[in-house]
Every structure is written in C-alpha cells, then in structure tokens.
Amino acid sequence: MKISYINSALKSLNKRELGSFLKFLSADFNNRDPIYIQFAKILHKHINFSNNINYDKFEIFKQLYPGKEFNDLKLRHTIARFKKLLEEFLVLNHLKTNKTLLNKTLLQVLRKKKLKHNFRQTFNKINVSYSLQSKVSIVDPSLEKYFVLKEEYEFDHEYKRNTKDNIKPMVSSLEDFYLLENLRLACLDW
C-alpha cells in the first residue's frame, strides 16, 4: 500500500498547509468525492495520536465505507487516487511560491492557448519586474530571463514570419545562470 508515502507527506504539512489541503480536497474542481476529505482526516488523526503507525486496511475501509463489505480493489483505488490528489496539492503549493516557474508556466499556457494580447501584456509585466528582482538575487532572475525569452522566441515564431533574432540574449541569460549557479554552489561547498 502507498500509505507510508502518504503518511510521510501528510506529516510534512504544517497546520496551515493541512488546512489548505483540506480546502483543496473540498473544491469541486479538484475532487468531487467527499471520501478523500474523510480519508485525510482519518490519516491525520492517526498520525497525531499514534506513535506506532500501523494501518489496518480492514479498519481503514470500515471507517471510509461504513456498512459495506471489504473490497481490497476499491480501497487500493481510493488510496491511489488520494496519493495523486496529495501530489497535485504539493506541486500547486510549491508553484505558488516559485515565481520563476509560475511566470514560465503562465507564458507557456498563454502561448499554447493562442492568447496573443494576454501573452504580450504578461510578457511586458514580467520584463518590468526584472529590475526589482535583481536587487534580491542575481541567480534566479537570469534563469527567469531565459525562460521568458524562450517563450517570447517560440511565441514570435508561431505568429510572425519575420521575427527579431533573440537567440543570443536567450543563450546569454542561460550562460549567466549557469555561471552564477556554479559560483553559488562552489561558495556553499567552500
């Protein structure tokens, strides 16, 4: 069973993250089955009140599906779906905090949806934010610049016959990131 994986992931969530996870599970967009909310509460209660965590699949099934006869396949399906929902939550939670990845993903989605005007507005907004970010860190903005320039390059080549050649700045920003990241890691090792 995937319970140990789920257990360790749930243990890593603080109180606020657990609340966010329960809200995530209760949103119809993410999940239409209330059994997973109940499952999260059962597992969390078990984690909090038991030092020796030993899950009995019959007991879990009885708590999730009271009055029904044990069905191992149904329980395994429930656990697998819960694991998938938990992983989706962890990824989305991380994405919210990673501005570079969020901007890259947003530009990519706008480009693939062929929303030209939205793409341009977002691209310009991200370009303006470079100067603000460079005061905080010099490594992350160079990577973000690469992602943004790459998306602009692919966007321009999809919609225009003659485009400006921004391969050199794109490659340069990637080289900057590579050098800065190597320097940062060497300083950490030192």
Side-chain angles (χ1 to χ4, degrees):
M1 289 187 4
K2 299 172 175 78
I3 291 287
S4 60
Y5 179 95
I6 292 169
N7 183 38
S8 60
L10 282 176
K11 270 186 174 180
S12 74
L13 300 178
N14 61 35
K15 206 172 199 173
R16 183 192 294 160
E17 289 171 330
L18 182 65
S20 295
F21 180 53
L22 292 174
K23 286 179 186 174
F24 173 85
L25 288 175
S26 62
D28 282 346
F29 180 77
N30 304 314
N31 170 36
R32 294 192 184 278
D33 193 348
I35 201 78
Y36 298 110
I37 299 168
Q38 185 182 352
F39 191 38
K41 289 178 180 176
I42 290 168
L43 292 176
H44 186 65
K45 185 174 79 175
H46 197 31
I47 289 168
N48 285 341
F49 297 114
S50 177
N51 291 335
N52 182 18
I53 297 172
N54 184 14
Y55 295 103
D56 179 26
K57 61 183 179 180
F58 298 104
E59 184 61 33
I60 291 173
F61 189 86
K62 192 168 101 178
Q63 288 180 10
L64 288 176
Y65 304 102
K68 294 192 177 179
E69 190 177 322
F70 178 76
N71 183 337
D72 192 50
L73 184 62
K74 186 173 187 169
L75 180 62
R76 283 189 281 138
H77 176 73
T78 302
I79 292 170
R81 175 73 178 128
F82 184 83
K83 178 181 178 267
K84 187 173 188 268
L85 286 167
L86 180 59
E87 289 172 338
E88 286 174 10
F89 169 76
L90 293 172
V91 168
L92 289 172
N93 203 34
H94 175 71
L95 185 62
K96 286 181 187 175
T97 61
N98 190 331
K99 191 149 178 94
T100 300
L101 188 56
L102 186 65
N103 286 338
K104 175 196 176 297
T105 306
L106 178 59
L107 284 174
Q108 193 173 35
V109 168
L110 293 173
R111 179 177 55 80
K112 287 184 177 183
K113 291 273 187 192
K114 300 183 184 331
L115 299 168
K116 297 176 190 179
H117 178 70
N118 300 31
F119 181 92
R120 280 288 159 217
Q121 277 186 327
T122 305
F123 178 79
N124 291 336
K125 182 181 169 191
I126 292 170
N127 255 350
V128 168
S129 70
Y130 283 145
S131 59
L132 299 173
Q133 286 181 352
S134 60
K135 294 174 184 170
V136 178
S137 167
I138 58 172
V139 178
D140 292 338
S142 59
L143 182 61
E144 184 174 357
K145 186 175 182 181
Y146 166 74
F147 287 140
V148 169
L149 289 172
K150 182 178 177 279
E151 286 303 320
E152 182 189 34
Y153 179 79
E154 290 182 15
F155 177 83
D156 285 345
H157 279 278
E158 272 186 40
Y159 296 107
K160 298 178 183 176
R161 287 184 125 183
N162 298 329
T163 59
K164 65 179 182 177
D165 187 24
N166 66 347
I167 291 178
K168 286 182 184 177
M170 185 171 58
V171 171
S172 175
S173 64
L174 189 58
E175 287 173 351
D176 290 348
F177 170 75
Y178 176 74
L179 291 172
L180 290 168
E181 186 67 7
N182 274 339
L183 182 62
R184 186 183 71 80
L185 292 173
C187 289
L188 285 175
D189 279 347
W190 191 53

